[in-house]
Amino acid sequence: MSVSAEPRSGRAGDHSARVGSAPRAQTIAASTIADGLPRSGALSDALLAVASRCDALALAVADVRRRLEDGLARVASTRTEHGTPASSAPLPLLRIGHYQVARAGQGALARARSGAGGRDGPGSSFRWTSRAARRLIGLAALRAGLDGRAATPADAVAAVMADPCGPLGVGRGGPGAAADWIASLAPPARAVVAAEATAWATRLWTAADWDRFPPDRLVVGGPDRWWRWSGPSAACRVAVRGRADIRVAVEPGHDGVRGALLLVLDGAPGAATRQALLLGALVDGLSARRPQEPAPVPPRVIGWWPDCGKTWVVPVDARTLVATADAVVETARVLLSASAPGGWGGHH
Amino acid sequence: MHVTITPVTSSPVTSPAGGCAGAEEGDLLDCLRSTSTLRPVVDECLAGGLRAWLEDWACAGRSGGSRSGASSRKPVVLRDGVLVPRKPVRSRIGLPELQACLTRATFRLTVTDGPPRHPFEDALCAISVTDRGPFVIDAIRRLPRRDRATLRTTLRTQAAAMAVQWRPVPHGWLPRVGERLRVPLAGGAVVLTSTADLVLGRPSAGTASVCAVRVHDGQGGRAGDDPVGRALRALALAETLRSGARPLRVASYDPSTARFRCEDAGEGLLVEGVRDVLRALTASRGPGPGGRGPHEPSERGGPCGRGESGDRQDREERARHVRVG
């Protein structure tokens, strides 16, 4: 696989970022994959590639955890100083995922929350749509296809939607759950949801050579992973979400470490995309049961934007984890400073 | 291959390449895929050359300082080869846009689930679960009764035409509806966007394999303009840039007139698509010294700046290696 350098947003080869340096000073390098045909070969290569062993990473994760906790305590207590009334009510929960980090990096989140409207505007609340559901259905369909239970993406989506709560489905039912929403759809709406999910699933289905992946190391979809924080004098709790559409399990070997996360994203990469991509790796690292326990951090995260055909391979190391932790703190600061007293709508 | 079919009730097909005889009933899908077993080999350098050509122009415009100040942070967006105004002209959704929404929804239902029994109601139901659904439905609800009746009647006619000319796509053809294409250039300073209402075929593994259909909403352009052709070129170009391989065919379908226009996405079409982009970019930058746009595309320009004769040699060279089905 030939790898070409992607232009960086800061100084090339900047290794000056260390724990304790100011946020926004770090840049994260990303490389693109080879653009030969078929593209699926290059993406599979990137997912299965071996990374050099990094014994210092586990130690770095401990530093990153401390840095993240200090940063969140700082921004959360800032809100308290600004006069948020203390009460006995449970602290609101601030959820930070890929979307929030990417949007905060572009400044869009602050603008939207300060009244400019848009998807993040006041009063906007989540509702299931064909677009919101396509990932969930598409991943379930891909699982069915890789298991040999469906021959085409459309067949697989039909199987998933026929029994959304079943073994091939999208999860348990319940109020607000995707499974219940799918089951309630009228036929025309159902056809549109199925068509959009089929389109999404087909892209991923044809994006990689799935036969090359050991079944025991491949996880398609799977539940989101969370890292939660709650400081003693903080005005809120924070939950950081690590999401991956495909996980190739981390496996140390004699020649290096294998493993990767793949995220399928809409549109085109933006300013804060690299930090947002690495959230999954950060949460994986922070989820170790004991701080000194070696964390199963994947050596790379791959972002894939089918709308524009771009693929970024972002290596995970101490420096990039620090930059990601800073981005989480910055996102929390933006959300807290822009939110009206009383919370964040659907984020409780 | 270039196929034009006009209207469904008249005598059938104009088919210079002879690939689509008898296509008046339910066979437009066959026009797209045709019966050829050999498909053109993709020149893997072509996508890179087109991108380099566009990037050079986009970057040159940016460094020329014509996009300075606060507005330079916003990208220049070209939708279907046409410059999108930075300030939206109007915020309310109009009757033509509503008609286009309903037409697209009906087309997508027809090619995935079969013809809808109640086109208007089914289209509204389908739209209701999309991101813009509540917005569109609210706009339709606010329409005067006469306009709503017009929408309903038009949609019924269109749905009848679609039911005759289209059938549900076999699952093995890997149908994708509503594909959005978004190709950033020059670090995101320029963005080319397009939408395909239906895409067929596996991603290219060395031969042109993807077909894309765009439902045309019947809105005309200026006299002498060819908005449908330009949208097709933009679609082919965006697909080539994002996937690294040119599509096999691109087609437009207008259910109001039952016109179907299908073209091979050859090099000529793609180069013309690039020229469309450059013309639009030049127009966005205003006139330069000497009465000519600062980056106006030269008649002799090409991916390598070698002029028409060089291009022709390249094309002839490539043609020797191309197996055409």
Side-chain angles (χ1 to χ4, degrees), chain A residues 36-39 127 129-131 134 152-155 181 185-186 188-189 191-192 195 198-199 202-203 206 268 306-309, chain B residues 42 44 109 112-113 122 125-126 128-131 134 171 174-177 179-182 184 202-205 242-245:
Chain A
L37 299 175
R39 291 277 178 95
R127 72 180 180 97
T129 62
S130 55
R131 197 169 183 184
R134 65 184 180 177
T152 65
D155 293 339
W181 177 74
L185 291 172
V192 166
T198 300
T202 304
R203 285 173 159 189
T206 56
D307 289 354
C308 66
Chain B
V42 168
E44 293 192 33
L109 286 174
T112 54
D113 206 36
D122 288 0
C125 180
S128 70
V129 291
T130 62
D131 283 351
H171 289 179
L174 301 181
R176 286 93 80 190
V177 298
E179 281 236 342
R180 301 173 185 89
L181 295 88
R182 185 177 174 86
R202 189 169 283 278
S204 174
R242 78 161 177 172
S243 70

Side-chain angles (χ1 to χ4, degrees), chain B residues 113-126:
Chain B
D113 206 36
R117 273 196 223 167
H118 310 287
F120 189 71
E121 289 75 14
D122 288 0
L124 284 183
C125 180

